[in-house]
Amino acid sequence: MSGLPEDRRDERRAVIALCRRTPFGRLRGVFSSTEAHDLLAAVLHAAYRDAGLPESGLADVIIGNAAGGGGNVARLAALAAGLPVEVPGLTIDRQCASGLDAISLACRLVESEAGAWFIAGGVESCSTAPLRAHRLTSLPGAPDFFSRARFAPETHGDPSAGQAAENVAAAFGIQRDEQDQYALRSYTRTAAALDGMSAEIVPIAGCDTDETPRRGMTSKVLSRFPPAFTAAGSVTAGNSCADADGAVVAVVTSRARARAAGFNTVLEFHGSASAGGAPALFGTAGAHAVLKLLEGIQLNRNAVSTWEYNEAFAAQVLASAQLLGVAPERLNLHGGALAYGHPYGASGAMLVANLLRQAAMPGGPRDDGGWSVAAVSAAGGVGTAAAFRTVSLQ
């Protein structure tokens, strides 16, 4: 690519042309009996239809999934969606960063000319995720149930997500009232943005709106939540996300193909980075990925107009804002997972959907060259970040 004239290189850049998602359902809520591949199939079908893709044009479906039962949910859902049987399907797992990694991979494949069109994103059904068990060595065939996979050896520390959030709050001096204040802002912003999300939502089983947002939240209500993970802690159910069911996908292609297909405002991909950090403080790994990304593409953080950072816990977002030198109120203008929930494998893709929606709205960063960054922290102390620019094609 580097040997091409600049205008030719720009035309081959990957862009996010369209996003579609399910409504988000509460754990054991409206989608309590809907399996992950059925959630995903609905949005794959809608994205393929709405993008007007030629039957032989879709190169692959790349999907992030964190808590599923294994196999290849991307392939299963693609077939269930009625996509051409020639589309293979690839499922990846970097836990909560999986959806953003899937989109970044699709962008890189477009730019390497490995395919013309991709659908990428993530899916999670926390409600139907399988039980996990090892075989007992003392009683062959008997199950030894466990709640989650191990992400780091004990020598590094492998805390639960909630305990890691408490570790982050203590390490960065983040108080309970700061976390509650940030959470309240997320609830308020999410409520204000809900109407604007309707165009991207694909109805399923009669549900066409998010079940997850915590409406009517106030600072007084937030103050009543007891610590959720340690008796003297500051992390509560009010300033933590809720597990959710949902799927989010993006249509990825080149700038030239998007223009020819009639798309207007798109997100132009300008790189991604993944980074590791201390597993005991894994909520800040997304910030390390952002710093690595900005250095790699030589972008000053002050040039970024729109930030999306996954809100698993208010404490981790506030700590990451400290590391990045970004005011917390600049993050997540349309709210976040604290309010609408966290379908693990899909949450990174939801950040991209938020960025595309904001770019296309009146008053959004829609001028050519508006920079945006999405970032996610994931279990085990890893994070992923991606950078985009808003481009008007028509």
Side-chain angles (χ1 to χ4, degrees), residues 87-284:
V87 179
L90 170 66
T91 302
I92 66 174
D93 178 5
R94 205 185 321 246
Q95 292 297 290
C96 301
S98 300
L100 185 57
D101 274 304
I103 290 174
S104 297
L105 175 57
C107 289
R108 295 188 184 280
L109 288 170
V110 164
E111 294 186 344
S112 68
E113 299 191 323
W117 296 86
F118 290 81
I119 301 178
V123 65
E124 208 69 66
S125 173
C126 292
S127 294
T128 67
L131 298 175
R132 298 170 181 262
H134 297 297
R135 289 185 176 90
L136 285 173
T137 56
S138 58
L139 185 61
D144 179 14
F145 290 102
F146 61 98
S147 60
R148 65 172 179 87
R150 174 171 289 283
F151 299 111
E154 287 299 338
T155 52
H156 289 73
D158 186 28
S160 67
Q163 183 58 60
E166 287 285 6
N167 294 348
V168 167
F172 287 83
I174 298 168
Q175 303 302 311
R176 163 72 182 266
D177 61 341
E178 296 176 81
Q179 296 174 55
D180 286 353
Q181 181 182 11
Y182 181 88
L184 183 60
R185 182 162 57 235
S186 180
Y187 298 135
T188 302
R189 287 179 171 180
T190 298
L194 287 176
D195 288 344
M197 296 181 183
S198 59
E200 71 205 31
I201 293 179
V202 178
I204 296 181
C207 178
D208 61 0
T209 58
D210 291 328
E211 181 189 23
T212 45
R214 298 171 174 179
R215 294 174 173 83
M217 189 64 73
T218 66
S219 57
K220 186 175 182 179
V221 171
L222 282 169
S223 70
R224 294 173 179 165
F225 282 95
F229 303 102
T230 63
S234 61
V235 179
T236 73
N239 57 44
S240 306
C241 70
D243 295 339
D245 304 329
V248 186
V249 300
V251 173
V252 182
T253 189
S254 69
R255 183 165 160 170
R257 292 188 186 93
R259 177 183 289 108
F263 288 101
N264 188 358
T265 302
V266 298
L267 295 176
E268 185 179 78
F269 178 73
H270 277 262
S272 65
S274 295
L281 301 172
F282 71 71
T284 60

Side-chain angles (χ1 to χ4, degrees), residues 293-332:
L293 170 66
L294 296 181
E295 181 180 6
I297 64 176
Q298 298 183 327
L299 179 65
N300 189 295
R301 66 174 180 243
N302 294 324
V304 179
S305 59
T306 313
W307 297 86
E308 284 286 322
Y309 201 104
N310 188 50
E311 295 178 349
F313 300 90
Q316 74 174 43
V317 182
L318 292 168
S320 296
Q322 284 187 32
L323 289 169
L324 296 174
V326 175
E329 57 268 21
R330 292 186 59 201
L331 305 177
N332 302 348

